[in-house]
Amino acid sequence: MQNFTFHNPTRIHFGRGQIRRIDREIPADARVMLAFGGGSIKTNGVHEQVRAALGNRHVVEFGGIEANPDVATVERAIALVRAEKVDFLLAVGGGSVLDGVKLVAAAALLDVDPWAVVLGNVKPSKVLPIGSVMTLPATGSEMNGFSVISRRATEEKRSFGSPLLFPQFSILDPETTFSLPPRQIANGVVDAFVHVIEQYLTYPADAPLQDRFAEGILQTLVEIGPKTLADPTDYDARATFVWSATLALNGLIAAGVPEDWATHSIGHELTALHGLDHGQTLAVVLPALLDHQRDSKRAKLIQFAERLWGIREGSDAARIAAGIARMRAFFESMGVPTRLSDYGLTAAVAPVVAHRLAERGAVALGERKDVTPAAVEAILTQ
Ligand code: NZQ
Ligand code: ZN
């Protein structure tokens, strides 16, 4: 096992009716910015519950944080924070709202272009405190210090992180997610699944406990994904999905093991260039990437095939291929297509994505740094 430091400071309030806990989490004299997205919280009752919990606090609202949050939107939120002397940020919505708020938290106290923070050229040493009410299980943003921000003007999408950007608290009430459309549920299941894979399907690191945590989350997603898609108001299935998504990217399963993240890097380019949903990009890239990396990931691919899908017969190559095929079929069964052509794209995107990654020095992706631009091109050409 590799050395590690693990610290997760986010307090989770999980379950029905937990939104009222906001009252105890945010100081009574705080000047709060309630940030949200395109309006789902206004139609599913979440906005009302949050306002009730906030009581008489001074609240300014900032709506319109879009999916794949744009830095230009974040800049407008920062202007409002400064004008209103906001000192507490409350994100209510999906991962995009929270990620946008994380950049507000990081940049509002600095006199710099927020994009410099996204690029990692400026590291915040002090940030505004954040709380969240997460209405979409997928990203894990509710219990991690990462944020992914897009810049529409230059068709870029980049991630950054800081230990200062963990939310102080996150409310996870599965009932707030009942209003999600099937496409977002399916995307969320794929996203959480792929987060686990990025931290698990690398090479053996003498970390059997982390492996079994990871396999437990994967098995649970395979079991619960179709169920929660078919019956969105089944509380117990949805609660299991919500908690699975959080644990998939809160640092626990990454402790002491190598990590990949090439699928995410390639996927972000597809979103930046062609507007695919985050989960859709992962469903396209991961099966092709695992096939391309089948030699360097051999041992874990065999373990994955056996422990997740029960595949024990046949040659190594046959078992690996069967495991990847089962995973692809799982994504498809959730309603997330796995081929570029399903999204109206062709292999012509392959050299463009490879070139864009290379241009900014992303030439050695993956746990073994062997996902080169040529490999990226081959993966997207499959
Ligand atoms: O904007 P509203 O009206 O709220 O609608 C949203 C949005 O259209 C809707 N939605 C959210 N909760 C709802 C709901 N609709 C009905 N009922 C509800 N309860 O869902 C749509 C998508 O929302 P979004 O926040 O974009 O989705 P998600 O949570 O999947 O976040 C995706 C973003 O997170 C980034 C992705 O790259 C992408 O930008 N990621 C962030 C990570 C992190 N911070 O750790 C890690 C991930 O790998 C990921 O990259
Ligand atoms: Zn993701």
Side-chain angles (χ1 to χ4, degrees), residues 16 25 76 88 92 114 130 150 158 160 187 190 193 200 207 213 282 289 349 360 380:
R16 286 190 179 100
E25 289 286 358
R76 292 206 314 278
F88 202 103
V92 185
I130 302 168
S150 295
R158 303 290 291 266
F160 72 106
N187 281 341
V190 170
F193 188 99
Y200 160 76
F213 278 154
L282 305 176
L289 179 133
V349 304
R360 60 162 208 263
L380 289 176

Side-chain angles (χ1 to χ4, degrees), residues 42 88 234 279 309 327:
K42 293 269 176 80
F88 202 103
D234 174 340
W309 307 110
M327 183 188 75

Side-chain angles (χ1 to χ4, degrees), residues 79-337:
L80 185 64
V81 161
R82 289 177 181 154
E84 292 283 338
K85 301 194 172 13
V86 165
D87 57 18
F88 202 103
L89 304 172
L90 181 61
V92 185
S96 293
V97 173
L98 180 49
D99 283 6
V101 161
K102 286 178 176 176
L103 182 56
V104 174
L109 304 177
L110 296 168
D111 188 18
V112 297
D113 176 358
W115 193 245
V117 177
V118 177
L119 295 182
N121 297 337
V122 176
K123 303 257 183 226
S125 56
K126 190 169 182 292
V127 307
L128 287 171
I130 302 168
S132 88
V133 177
M134 183 55 91
T135 67
L136 198 173
T139 61
S141 190
E142 64 275 13
M143 203 177 180
N144 71 41
F146 305 120
S147 166
V148 187
I149 301 292
S150 295
R151 187 160 73 164
R152 300 284 191 285
T154 49
E155 295 185 316
E156 287 174 276
K157 178 170 181 175
R158 303 290 291 266
S159 60
F160 72 106
S162 161
L164 301 174
L165 290 174
F166 283 80
Q168 288 191 352
F169 70 90
S170 286
I171 313 271
L172 303 178
D173 175 349
E175 288 188 341
T176 67
T177 75
F178 286 179
S179 55
L180 281 163
R183 169 169 154 190
Q184 299 303 341
I185 294 295
N187 281 341
V189 170
V190 170
D191 195 18
F193 188 99
V194 180
H195 292 160
V196 178
I197 294 287
E198 300 271 29
Q199 303 160 87
Y200 160 76
L201 223 165
T202 56
Y203 51 82
D206 288 316
L209 178 62
Q210 290 88 327
D211 278 4
R212 287 198 166 86
F213 278 154
E215 288 154 359
I217 298 171
L218 294 173
Q219 268 160 357
T220 304
L221 288 168
V222 169
E223 196 178 294
I224 223 74
K227 213 169 158 186
T228 198
L229 188 64
D231 190 356
T233 59
D234 174 340
Y235 180 86
D236 292 315
R238 185 56 59 85
T240 297
F241 170 37
V242 169
W243 192 223
S244 301
T246 301
L247 289 176
L249 193 50
N250 76 343
L252 179 70
I253 63 170
V257 301
E259 299 179 61
D260 182 341
W261 298 107
T263 296
H264 270 70
S265 297
I266 299 168
H268 287 172
E269 296 302 315
L270 291 175
T271 299
L273 285 169
H274 300 290
L276 274 66
D277 294 347
H278 176 61
Q280 295 173 336
T281 69
L282 305 176
V284 168
V285 176
L286 182 64
L289 179 133
L290 292 181
D291 183 47
H292 187 269
Q293 298 299 102
R294 59 188 178 275
D295 291 329
S296 65
K297 289 179 183 287
R298 168 175 294 265
K300 284 308 250 324
L301 276 167
I302 292 170
Q303 183 176 326
F304 170 72
E306 179 173 336
R307 293 198 189 169
L308 193 65
W309 307 110
I311 298 163
R312 294 184 184 81
E313 306 292 323
S315 65
D316 286 2
R319 283 186 280 161
I320 288 170
I324 297 171
R326 289 287 298 273
M327 183 188 75
R328 185 190 288 280
F330 172 61
F331 294 165
E332 297 271 357
S333 77
M334 292 295 298
V336 188

